[in-house]
Amino acid sequence: MYGGIMKCLVAVLVCVVLVEGIVKIPLQKQKSMREALREKGIELPYQDPALKYNELASSANMYINNYADTTYFGAISIGTPPQSFQVLFDTGSANLWVDSVYCNTQACNTHTKFNPQQSSTYSRKGQSFYLPYGAGSLHGVFGYDTVNVGGIVINNQEIGLSTNEPGQNFVVAKFDGILGLSYPSISAGGETPVMDNMISQNLLGSNIFAFYLSRGGQQGSVLSFGEVDNSLYQGQIIWTPVTSQTYWQIGVDGFQINGRETGWCSQGCQSIVDTGTSSLTAPSQLIGDIMQAIGAQRNQYGNYMVNCGQVNNLPTLSFVISGVPVPLPPSAYITQHYQNGYQYCSVDINPTYLPSHDGQPLWIFGDVFLREYYSVYDRTNNRLGFAQAA
């Protein structure tokens, strides 16, 4: 579950006696520790000698939870001794915050709270902040403490401690906070994101992280830091540059329905890749045409529905990314529901009213898209990679 580096230090001590003047005493070559152990039938595993120069670099593969295909979260710890929290890993925001003892709203009282007085490594920053999300918002104050993410220990990490979480959005949340993984330019209060501290403290072998999101509410989702897990995808990784170092935003060259180009992105589209958004989100001006192509009908609650018996006949939607079509089959964007013995099927594509980027329509590749594709986030080269999920 946790990655790390093991070191083996083999030292050979040779004492040389030099007799000053005329006599030179020849030295007999001493056996190394490896040779001495080999004679006893013990073979030491090979270790790269260069590891000692890179002892801080590391990687981690951590299993994260899948709640109903809507939320992907996992455990981190904060403080000394460590206090454990479940956090949503969110590529659509930059701040790390958790519920705290400073907050007494219903949302805070139903979750684990961080108590800074019980941590010997905590220091107060005093700056307050406000964070709005697509669903829910909170007020808090910043502090510093040690944070452990998948066995990677970050010192002096800025942490948001909630002081007020109004409303009901976070009451039913399965997590105690959010760990943002986007660029520092959108961080509230100028807080340094966790990934940026991992980079500046030289904690990663490679300045990347990657997500594998499980399907059907099953467990087995994986978040990797510092490495790519080749067992979690098949084929080649398609790389595309980040177009705005704010969110993980990329360009989309085209949009196809059953392999036919629609022309809707003929002047270019943009997309934000966001693990914290559960659906695929389409530009509001395109949602009607998309639903017409799918054959979906709107119900009295405003949801788009299809005949469950026709799911396999629905069109495949494809995004052209760096010249390569990346398909999304109907099994990815249709959700089947069961209630009181009745089955019904909804389209998991929602409109977004976010302003476009330089006049280009804006999509959000949420979990509906990311369950189909292993996604790799490369901070060194400011690029994003997609490969067919295993």
Side-chain angles (χ1 to χ4, degrees):
M1 182 173 181
Y2 299 124
I5 293 178
M6 297 187 300
K7 299 184 297 179
C8 176
L9 179 61
V10 179
V12 179
L13 178 63
V14 179
C15 296
V16 180
V17 178
L18 294 179
V19 178
E20 189 175 359
I22 303 172
V23 182
K24 292 182 180 179
I25 301 177
L27 294 176
Q28 182 178 358
K29 185 178 184 298
Q30 303 295 311
K31 293 178 182 178
S32 71
M33 182 182 292
R34 184 180 295 275
E35 290 170 332
L37 290 173
R38 184 177 291 139
E39 289 181 357
K40 297 180 181 296
I42 302 172
E43 184 68 34
L44 289 177
Y46 173 77
Q47 295 288 336
D48 183 350
L51 287 179
K52 68 180 180 180
Y53 305 118
N54 199 30
E55 64 180 31
L56 292 178
S58 185
S59 62
N61 274 342
M62 56 184 302
Y63 286 100
I64 57 178
N65 301 294
N66 173 357
Y67 176 70
D69 279 5
T70 60
T71 310
Y72 293 85
F73 60 95
I76 67 168
S77 67
I78 301 173
T80 307
Q83 301 174 43
S84 183
F85 304 90
Q86 297 288 335
V87 295
L88 170 70
F89 292 101
D90 181 20
T91 61
S93 66
N95 292 82
L96 167 62
W97 67 268
V98 291
D99 296 301
S100 83
V101 294
Y102 300 139
C103 177
N104 284 304
T105 61
Q106 184 183 4
C108 294
N109 291 337
T110 54
H111 292 94
T112 303
K113 298 181 183 183
F114 177 68
N115 188 342
Q117 293 182 342
Q118 294 180 358
S119 173
S120 62
T121 45
Y122 176 80
S123 60
R124 178 177 173 84
K125 185 176 182 181
Q127 179 186 1
S128 61
F129 67 89
Y130 170 71
L131 273 175
Y133 291 92
S137 63
L138 73 147
H139 296 266
V141 294
F142 286 125
Y144 298 92
D145 211 332
T146 301
V147 175
N148 186 319
V149 181
I152 299 174
V153 178
I154 307 118
N155 294 316
N156 297 313
Q157 172 63 49
E158 288 178 271
I159 306 157
L161 307 183
S162 68
T163 56
N164 182 24
E165 295 176 33
Q168 296 295 306
N169 286 295
F170 289 133
V171 172
V172 296
K174 297 298 179 180
F175 49 84
D176 310 309
I178 294 177
L179 193 156
L181 289 164
S182 67
Y183 283 86
S185 60
I186 63 168
S187 174
E191 178 185 3
T192 303
V194 167
M195 185 67 184
D196 288 79
N197 273 329
M198 286 185 179
I199 293 170
S200 65
Q201 295 178 26
N202 194 31
L203 300 178
L204 300 174
S206 299
N207 295 329
I208 61 174
F209 60 93
F211 277 92
Y212 172 82
L213 302 185
S214 59
R215 315 175 193 190
Q218 300 298 309
Q219 298 310 310
S221 299
V222 178
L223 169 56
S224 302
F225 286 97
E227 66 179 4
V228 170
D229 190 332
N230 298 327
S231 69
L232 297 176
Y233 68 90
Q234 50 195 354
Q236 298 297 311
I237 297 177
I238 301 166
W239 292 103
T240 192
V242 169
T243 56
S244 175
Q245 293 177 28
T246 50
Y247 301 96
W248 284 94
Q249 184 171 311
I250 60 173
V252 178
D253 306 327
F255 179 71
Q256 302 172 352
I257 297 176
N258 275 343
R260 298 184 62 180
E261 180 57 52
T262 62
W264 297 343
C265 291
S266 59
Q267 301 302 311
C269 288
Q270 295 287 307
S271 182
I272 293 170
V273 182
D274 184 5
T275 57
T277 294
S278 59
S279 66
L280 174 69
T281 302
S284 57
Q285 65 268 34
L286 300 179
I287 199 74
D289 291 329
I290 294 171
M291 294 304 167
Q292 184 176 359
I294 293 172
Q297 301 293 323
R298 214 169 192 176
N299 65 12
Q300 68 267 33
Y301 304 108
N303 300 316
Y304 286 97
M305 313 299 292
V306 296
N307 185 330
C308 291
Q310 295 298 315
V311 169
N312 293 334
N313 299 323
L314 298 181
T316 294
L317 311 178
S318 298
F319 299 91
V320 182
I321 299 173
S322 289
V324 180
V326 179
L328 200 65
S331 59
Y333 65 79
I334 298 296
T335 300
Q336 299 186 30
H337 308 268
Y338 298 90
Q339 187 174 5
N340 300 325
Y342 176 72
Q343 181 188 26
Y344 58 99
C345 293
S346 63
V347 183
D348 209 351
I349 304 175
N350 296 316
T352 178
Y353 300 93
L354 289 171
S356 60
H357 176 84
D358 294 335
Q360 297 183 345
L362 182 64
W363 301 73
I364 299 175
F365 290 171
D367 300 337
V368 163
F369 180 92
L370 294 172
R371 277 189 288 274
E372 296 296 306
Y373 293 95
Y374 185 72
S375 55
V376 185
Y377 306 75
D378 182 348
R379 281 291 300 273
T380 296
N381 299 295
N382 292 310
R383 61 180 183 167
L384 239 162
F386 300 107
Q388 184 72 46

